[in-house]
Each structure stands twice: as structure tokens, then as C-alpha cells.
Amino acid sequence: MKAISAAARLSIALLATTATSLSIPSTGTTSLRYEGQKRDILIGSGAINPTYLDDPLFAAVLAEQFNSLSPENELKWSLLEPSKGNYTWPKLDRLVAFAEQHRMKVKGHGLISGCCNPDYLSNITDPTAFRAAMRAHFDAVMHRYRGKMDRWDVVTEALTTNGSGLAVNDFYNVLGPGYIDVAFRIARAADAEARLFINENLVESLSGKRQLLYDLVAGLVADGVPIDGVALEMHITEVAPTPGVITEIVESYRALGLEVAISEMDVHTLNVTLQRDIYGAVVREALEAGITDISFWGFTDKHAYTWLPGAEPLMFTANYTAKGAFYATHTALADFVDEC
């Protein structure tokens, strides 16, 4: 076992001191990251807006419970590079510095998606110029955070919500369906070591979309596109995935030589017992299927977004008190690592 550096020990001590002075509500049990590290499992929180770190309680719970984080919208192209060559680095730099201070991994979410593209990109109609803009952007971002962001959602939500086909967006309009291939090849050239994912929603719920994504990814693999895995967003509303579906998804991509991660999990329901049960069941099946990278779309309802009025979809209340969803997640994780 590697010795903990003096700096790391100081960071841990400061975090413990801060936690005590802030009177963080006790969960009465070990942290999620403590259990996860027993088996090298990443337990992350996404949707981290750097301004949330201004709240000492938020920062303390984030560092205490999770060993990975990812930004909310700060990597979206229009926010990071609103005009050509003009980047807004400080917010992302702050997240990376926080993660380094607290020995956390950082996931790059996400390089491109259908939304949030700057006008200068949307106005490009020539394919060669468009690919050049992609290359310049990817290089700037991935070179800056090479070795600091270990995995990336290269393409997010490439499919329509209902799974009827590829979503039409700026990239599709100029480069056609091959834009996904282009994005992954540019990303790999920018960072040869990072793990590259395609990130998609509702595939665990919609069988047609699940097959469409598989066909897309299998085609990428067959064409030698440098993709490492598939990230399941796992935004759940009222109804849990059918038992066994997550396992089937993992096995199907494992056969292609790819890994599967959960990238944005939350559970939207007014029934707290159902929410607890869904969190526990999904995390348990994911772990048993071999998923070792599980991230939630935030952790406190203080900053939650929901499309179901009145729902509080995350594991901690707005006052940072652990909910049944936390305990179900913790139990599933602790049972898994102790059984292995």
C-alpha cells in the first residue's frame, strides 16, 4: 500500500476539522467513497456547479462521500468557448483543484451535445472548417486537462429522446451521422490515455432505443473508432428498470470489449419508499453486473432539477441530511464490497 503523503494527510485532517466545525448531519455510517475504495469503485457526483463550492457544507459533504466529480454545464461548448478562441477556464480549474485537494477523479462531461453550441460554430457550414473547429476545441480542452480528467463523455444524447433515430443537431447537419466517428477520433488524438464514452439516456427503459444505441456502438467498434465505453444516464421517473436489463446491457457491451458506466443517476418520484428501493436495486444490479463507475446527477436536493413537480430526486435533503435513497445505496455498495 502506498503511503499517504503529508499533503494528503493535511487535506484529510482539514476536511475532518471542517466537517466537525460545520456540524454536518451524521449519516451514522461509513461514507460511500470509503466503501467504494475497497474495490476500486468510483462513486461520483455530477452536476457540480463550481459556485456550489462556496457553500462549506456542500463542499464538505461532496468531499466526504464521493471519490469522483463532474461538472454540470461548465464544459458545454457555448459556456466554455462562447466565441472562437476565448475560453472561460476558471470555473473548471476550480473544480479540478478541489478534486486534486480531496483525492477525487474528474470526469469530463461533456465535450459535445445537441444543445449549447456557440454561434460561431453553428454558423459554419463547410465540413472541413467544421472538423477543424472541433479539433481546435477538443485540443484546447483535453490538452489543458490531460492527466486531470481521466474519462470523457465525448458525445452526449446522440439519439432522439424516444429512440427513433439520430438526433438532428449542428454536428449532424454539417457532417452527417459520421460526426460521432469524427468526434471520437479527434478526442483520442487529443488524449491517448483518457477513457472515451458515449453518454445516452433512457436506454435502460426503452427497448427500441437500447437496440438502436447498441447497433450504433457496434458499428463504431467495427469501424475501429476509439471508443472505450457506454455511459447510461439513468434518469428514472417513477418506474425502475426491469430487473436484469442493466446486466444484459453490460454483457452486450462487454462482448464488444467495452465498459459500461452509470453517469447521471437520479430518481424522480413523490414516493420516498419507492425512491429508496429503486436506488438500492439499480446500484445493486449495476455492481453485480460489473459496473465500477457510478455517478449521480448531484447529491443534495438543494440543487436538484426535476421535471416532476414536488419530486426530490437525490440522496440528501436540501439540508444535507441523508435520505432513504442514501442508505439503500450504501447498503448495496457495502454488501457488494464485503461479499467480494
Side-chain angles (χ1 to χ4, degrees), residues 193-208:
E193 302 299 325
R195 294 174 6 248
L196 308 179
F197 288 81
I198 188 168
N199 186 43
E200 193 54 72
N201 66 2
L202 296 177
V203 294
E204 69 282 349
S205 302
L206 302 177
S207 60

Side-chain angles (χ1 to χ4, degrees), residues 1-240:
M1 179 182 296
K2 294 182 179 179
I4 299 175
S5 68
R9 286 195 298 271
L10 178 59
S11 176
I12 294 168
L14 287 172
L15 178 59
T17 301
T18 300
T20 301
S21 64
L22 291 172
S23 300
I24 297 174
S26 173
T27 64
T29 189
T30 55
S31 69
L32 296 174
R33 71 178 291 171
Y34 173 83
E35 297 299 334
Q37 70 188 13
K38 294 178 182 178
R39 296 285 296 174
D40 295 324
I41 296 168
L42 289 176
I43 301 295
S45 177
I48 304 300
N49 184 318
T51 62
Y52 298 164
L53 299 177
D54 293 338
D55 176 353
L57 275 172
F58 181 96
V61 176
L62 174 63
E64 178 182 61
Q65 291 294 335
F66 300 97
N67 56 14
S68 178
L69 61 80
S70 56
E72 186 173 28
N73 293 312
E74 289 68 30
L75 259 172
K76 298 291 177 63
W77 197 323
S78 62
L79 296 179
L80 182 58
E81 190 193 7
S83 59
K84 187 176 180 178
N86 295 313
Y87 291 87
T88 57
W89 300 118
K91 290 182 179 180
L92 282 172
D93 287 350
R94 184 181 183 188
L95 282 186
V96 170
F98 181 88
E100 290 177 342
Q101 179 185 4
H102 297 293
R103 299 177 299 128
M104 304 170 77
K105 301 289 187 181
V106 182
K107 179 181 183 179
H109 170 82
L111 279 172
I112 63 173
S113 60
C115 80
C116 315
N117 297 313
D119 289 343
Y120 92 83
L121 179 69
S122 301
N123 291 333
I124 299 174
T125 58
D126 175 68
T128 299
F130 198 95
R131 284 191 293 269
M134 290 176 64
R135 186 172 295 107
H137 181 78
F138 280 37
D139 284 353
V141 177
M142 297 185 75
H143 289 174
R144 185 179 185 88
Y145 296 115
R146 186 160 46 196
K148 298 181 178 181
M149 295 187 184
D150 67 331
R151 59 215 196 279
W152 295 81
D153 290 333
V154 178
V155 177
T156 291
E157 297 177 3
L159 305 181
T160 60
T161 301
N162 64 7
S164 60
L166 285 175
V168 176
N169 55 39
D170 291 329
F171 303 91
Y172 184 95
N173 286 337
V174 179
L175 301 179
Y179 85 86
I180 299 171
D181 179 315
V182 171
F184 276 93
R185 293 186 189 278
I186 293 175
R188 175 56 72 226
D191 190 336
E193 302 299 325
R195 294 174 6 248
L196 308 179
F197 288 81
I198 188 168
N199 186 43
E200 193 54 72
N201 66 2
L202 296 177
V203 294
E204 69 282 349
S205 302
L206 302 177
S207 60
K209 189 170 189 177
R210 187 157 62 247
Q211 186 63 50
L212 183 64
L213 180 64
Y214 176 83
D215 292 343
L216 169 63
V217 173
L220 295 174
V221 172
D223 290 340
V225 175
I227 180 173
D228 295 300
V230 172
L232 309 176
E233 291 186 5
M234 204 67 66
H235 295 296
I236 298 170
T237 305
E238 297 287 2
V239 180

